[in-house]
Amino acid sequence: MATDGAPPRWDRKMQQRLAHGEAAALGELYDRFASLVHTLAHRVLEDEAAADRVTREVFSHVWEHPGDFDPKEGSLRSWIAGLTHRQAVERLRQCQSDGAATPEEIEEKVRVASAAARADYIVTSMPAPLRAALDLAYLRRLDYRRAAAQLGVTEDEARRRLRLGLQMLSTAHRGPRVVAPRAHGGAL
């Protein structure tokens, strides 16, 4: 985002193109964000078909309501990720309430899925050097010395990248807590 608070030019241009009904804009947006949308939805729902439905719903909403995007609130990517999260959580609640799960079990599943989706979003949106350091250290199980050598940076820089990446990831669990209403109507 620019320092004056203006959204990136691509976001503004995309919103204008969508508002004018330019089908090619929707295709470009889909190409850019479909993987993110599907991954976030799948992370929440743990169901391929449901994630496919949420992906279609999100892009349908974007196509039908491009004016809902407010550039002052953040990037187009963040707005789409937020839409995805809300759609997936709503679908999860609907599916769970149809079964034998208690409201507390449903809300706990929503909380866990929301934290996982936030973590996925944080990782996909963090700068590439931080993501690469985390990948080497945690997925490939390299210590910071070997990660530094692989990245071509000093050991201090590798440790800094890992620390910063982990700090960013730690915020995933600080999202809003969902509190189920009390059964006896008491105040929360």
Side-chain angles (χ1 to χ4, degrees):
M1 194 168 283
T3 56
D4 64 353
R9 183 181 311 188
W10 189 89
D11 287 1
R12 283 194 312 264
K13 201 78 159 139
M14 181 58 66
Q15 183 182 32
Q16 291 168 354
R17 292 171 63 198
L18 290 166
H20 288 103
E22 189 180 321
L26 182 62
E28 187 178 328
L29 193 72
Y30 184 88
D31 290 345
R32 189 169 192 163
F33 296 121
S35 178
L36 170 70
V37 170
H38 191 273
T39 299
L40 289 173
H42 192 274
R43 182 74 146 165
V44 171
L45 297 165
E46 298 176 339
D47 179 293
E48 191 70 28
D52 288 344
R53 281 191 297 279
V54 167
T55 300
R56 285 190 302 274
E57 291 168 1
V58 166
F59 285 100
S60 291
H61 180 87
V62 169
W63 176 249
E64 294 169 5
H65 307 283
D68 287 357
F69 168 61
D70 183 355
K72 294 175 192 157
E73 298 291 321
S75 69
L76 190 56
R77 176 188 176 98
S78 294
W79 179 64
I80 289 172
L83 280 174
T84 303
H85 182 257
R86 284 188 297 279
Q87 289 278 64
V89 166
E90 182 58 33
R91 185 169 292 280
L92 178 65
R93 283 189 175 121
Q94 288 171 354
C95 292
Q96 295 292 318
S97 65
D98 293 343
T102 67
E104 293 81 15
E105 291 169 333
I106 293 169
E107 293 309 317
E108 177 62 14
K109 183 159 176 127
V110 167
R111 188 188 65 71
V112 168
S114 294
R118 281 191 301 276
D120 280 351
Y121 179 72
I122 289 167
V123 169
T124 60
S125 61
M126 73 175 44
L130 301 182
R131 198 170 46 247
L134 288 174
D135 177 59
L136 290 171
Y138 292 96
L139 297 179
R140 299 185 192 180
R141 301 200 178 280
L142 298 182
D143 64 24
Y144 73 91
R145 288 182 180 96
R146 290 176 37 208
Q150 192 84 351
L151 293 169
V153 299
T154 66
E155 290 177 7
D156 285 342
E157 177 62 13
R159 280 195 303 264
R160 187 191 71 75
R161 289 179 185 183
L162 287 168
R163 186 172 37 253
L164 188 53
L166 289 172
Q167 286 171 343
M168 291 174 75
L169 268 176
S170 73
T171 65
H173 294 287
R174 291 188 211 146
R177 283 197 67 86
V178 179
V179 179
R182 291 189 181 171
H184 301 293
L188 292 177

